[in-house]
Amino acid sequence: MKLHPWALGAALLVPPGAGAVELSIATVDNGHMIRMQALTPHFEKANPGIRVKWVTLSEGDLREQVSADIAGKGGRYDVVTIGMYEVPIWARKGWLRPFQPDDRYDAGDLLPAMRKGLSLDGKLYAAPFYGESSMLMYRRDLLHKAGAALSYQPTWDEVKKVAAKLHDPAAGVYGICLRGKPGWGDNMALLTTMVNTFGGQWFDMSWRPRIDSEPWKRAIGFYVDLLKNYGPPQPAHHSFNENLALFNAGKCGMWIDATIAASFVSDPKQSKVADKVAFAQAPTAVTPKGASWLWAWSLAIPAGTTRADAAQRFVNWATSREYIELVARTDGWARIPTGTRTSTYKRPEFLQAAGFAFHEAMAIAFTDPGNSTLPKSPYVGVQFASIPEFQAIGNETGRRIGAALEGQMSVDEALSAAQKMAEAEMRQAGGQAAAK
């Protein structure tokens, strides 16, 4: 039997007669991560000295538990699934080990936006498992039936008009599905892009919060009105997975979310409407800046792990070109994790299988975290501000907007409360000095 390249040196990890090294890996409960778990026996077979233990959590629970463990140096996990927000902040605090690509890895093949977003001072501190921007997915059959059309990059006003035409709850179809579940990585991921394109920002150049500004009021008012009139029931309970299930069941006329969803909604094994889906870029309002987000779910190694060698070996395997080809062999090219490597978008097999490839590549390529707002901003990030204080501010703002969506307060009341909370948070942190 031919020895797998990752098995080279694996015997050195475990002395003869000793038990296997057990890696504890924390990840999010979405489709690509579930597939990775199913393919883990391939890694274990090639690395007989390593066994993998998975801890799979919802997005909010993952962030909460991993953040607490890392900050408290609990040592519970050997590999964690985190994103572009956490990586540079945690690396600067010394909470992460640098990622060490092996000889086969080809870090130069990583998309520049992903490599840059996961680095600090030019050094990678995480490896992207899949990357994404955001875009609009829609039912072309429903638009045709309604006599409606969408531009390649529509405006939010255009989206609202089409949602009104598609909305038919009696037939089980809602005009539009959007994230409503509170959280900086849930509803605020979408809402920050809306605020950006409506001309707003989180902080001005003096690090003053701008949550109660007119662009925020216009963007959030538009969002609440859109979902109340043309969204599904109880939208404040819906985030990525809930809206994915609705769309795949044929209940959403349009959905604006992560580009990675395209591989799921166009998969006939998962989606009842796979052959009826079309794609467009994320909507704009007064500016195209920051209209679509940029993110990479990535694998990182906590500084406190005692199983660093095995962890590095796993991260190299799971984020490699060879892993992408393994998924292609077992599940097809349309189901590979995308948004990480230049070579992926040069594979004829992928381009032929994935009707969304061009739209996804364009969304990623034209999203600039360093220039995502119309007024100049002091922070890097599209759907987040890359400062430690943002997580608490984003979560609390999301909670208040969720309350407005449920009718518990007005939009102005929600944003006023969020503004006061953000001001207090920044005062306590020392403002700009703490942000650095």
Side-chain angles (χ1 to χ4, degrees):
M1 182 182 72
K2 184 178 179 181
L3 190 64
H4 194 286
W6 287 298
L8 297 176
L12 298 177
L13 292 169
V14 183
V21 173
E22 183 177 83
L23 285 179
S24 178
I25 303 178
T27 197
V28 67
D29 60 348
N30 64 32
H32 283 300
M33 272 62 178
I34 300 301
R35 185 173 290 121
M36 176 169 55
Q37 293 173 51
L39 294 174
T40 298
H42 291 265
F43 170 78
E44 293 178 334
K45 183 177 181 181
N47 295 270
I50 306 173
R51 292 292 176 268
V52 176
K53 174 186 175 183
W54 289 97
V55 180
T56 307
L57 302 163
S58 68
E59 189 169 325
D61 288 341
L62 175 76
R63 288 194 169 102
E64 182 179 346
Q65 292 192 28
V66 168
S67 296
D69 188 71
I70 292 286
K73 300 180 180 179
R76 181 179 178 185
Y77 307 116
D78 304 299
V79 178
V80 292
T81 306
I82 57 178
M84 286 184 169
Y85 169 68
E86 296 94 347
V87 171
I89 295 173
W90 291 7
R92 189 173 290 111
K93 290 176 178 290
W95 293 351
L96 301 176
R97 290 176 179 262
F99 171 55
Q100 298 173 356
D102 61 27
D103 293 339
R104 296 171 53 86
Y105 190 78
D106 190 9
D109 184 45
L110 297 177
L111 290 170
M114 301 302 166
R115 189 168 64 244
K116 182 178 180 181
L118 298 173
S119 298
L120 178 66
D121 299 329
K123 183 181 294 185
L124 271 170
Y125 279 86
F129 180 67
Y130 72 78
E132 64 185 36
S133 184
S134 54
M135 67 180 179
L136 191 154
M137 295 156 278
Y138 64 93
R139 290 275 302 279
R140 63 171 178 267
D141 60 320
L142 295 181
L143 265 73
H144 179 75
K145 182 180 178 181
L150 283 166
S151 307
Y152 173 68
Q153 186 165 40
T155 65
W156 275 104
D157 284 335
E158 188 179 340
V159 166
K160 186 175 183 178
K161 290 176 182 177
V162 172
K165 291 183 177 181
L166 302 185
H167 192 58
D168 188 2
V173 176
Y174 309 107
I176 191 164
C177 295
L178 298 172
R179 295 188 184 198
K181 184 178 180 180
W184 76 263
D186 286 300
N187 63 344
M188 294 315 302
L190 171 74
L191 289 173
T192 302
T193 65
M194 290 188 69
V195 167
N196 293 340
T197 195
F198 273 77
Q201 61 188 154
W202 277 101
F203 305 97
D204 64 19
M205 290 301 292
S206 297
W207 289 102
R208 289 189 294 262
R210 300 291 294 148
I211 301 170
D212 62 352
S213 63
E214 285 305 311
W216 272 83
K217 292 177 181 178
R218 289 194 299 269
I220 305 307
F222 185 96
Y223 160 83
V224 169
D225 181 71
L226 183 64
L227 276 181
K228 281 186 174 180
N229 286 299
Y230 310 119
Q234 298 184 307
H237 297 275
H238 296 173
S239 194
F240 179 87
N241 285 333
E242 293 80 9
N243 286 326
L244 174 63
L246 285 174
F247 195 98
N248 282 348
K251 295 182 180 297
C252 297
M254 293 181 290
W255 179 31
I256 299 158
D257 212 295
T259 54
I260 202 70
S263 62
F264 304 137
V265 300
S266 57
D267 179 1
K269 292 183 179 180
Q270 303 181 49
S271 173
K272 293 181 179 179
V273 295
D275 61 341
K276 300 177 177 66
V277 183
F279 308 97
Q281 295 298 294
T284 64
V286 302
T287 176
K289 288 186 176 184
S292 55
W293 69 64
L294 188 70
W295 185 256
W297 276 120
S298 308
L299 301 180
I301 301 170
T305 180
T306 59
R307 291 167 283 274
D309 289 344
Q312 293 280 3
R313 190 177 293 274
F314 181 84
V315 175
N316 268 279
W317 172 77
T319 63
S320 66
R321 263 196 306 230
E322 288 79 7
Y323 176 84
I324 291 172
E325 291 172 356
L326 172 62
V327 177
R329 290 196 303 272
T330 57
D331 295 277
W333 276 99
R335 301 179 185 92
I336 65 168
T338 59
T340 60
R341 291 182 171 271
T342 300
S343 57
T344 296
Y345 297 92
K346 295 180 179 179
R347 291 296 296 254
E349 305 96 323
F350 172 65
L351 298 176
Q352 183 176 359
F356 56 85
F358 172 80
H359 303 279
E360 178 181 63
M362 290 299 99
I364 292 172
F366 288 101
T367 301
D368 184 359
N371 186 24
S372 64
T373 60
L374 188 59
K376 191 174 181 181
S377 295
Y379 54 87
V380 175
V382 184
Q383 77 279 24
F384 57 84
S386 56
I387 60 173
E389 296 80 16
F390 175 75
Q391 184 166 330
I393 292 172
N395 281 336
E396 287 302 307
T397 302
R399 185 173 67 82
R400 286 163 171 82
I401 294 174
L405 186 59
E406 291 187 313
Q408 298 171 4
M409 61 175 65
S410 70
V411 168
D412 283 359
E413 289 170 338
L415 297 183
S416 177
Q419 174 73 15
K420 292 176 182 176
M421 171 275 305
E423 289 173 350
E425 186 76 23
M426 295 301 283
R427 281 196 302 271
Q428 182 178 358
Q432 187 175 3
K436 291 181 178 179

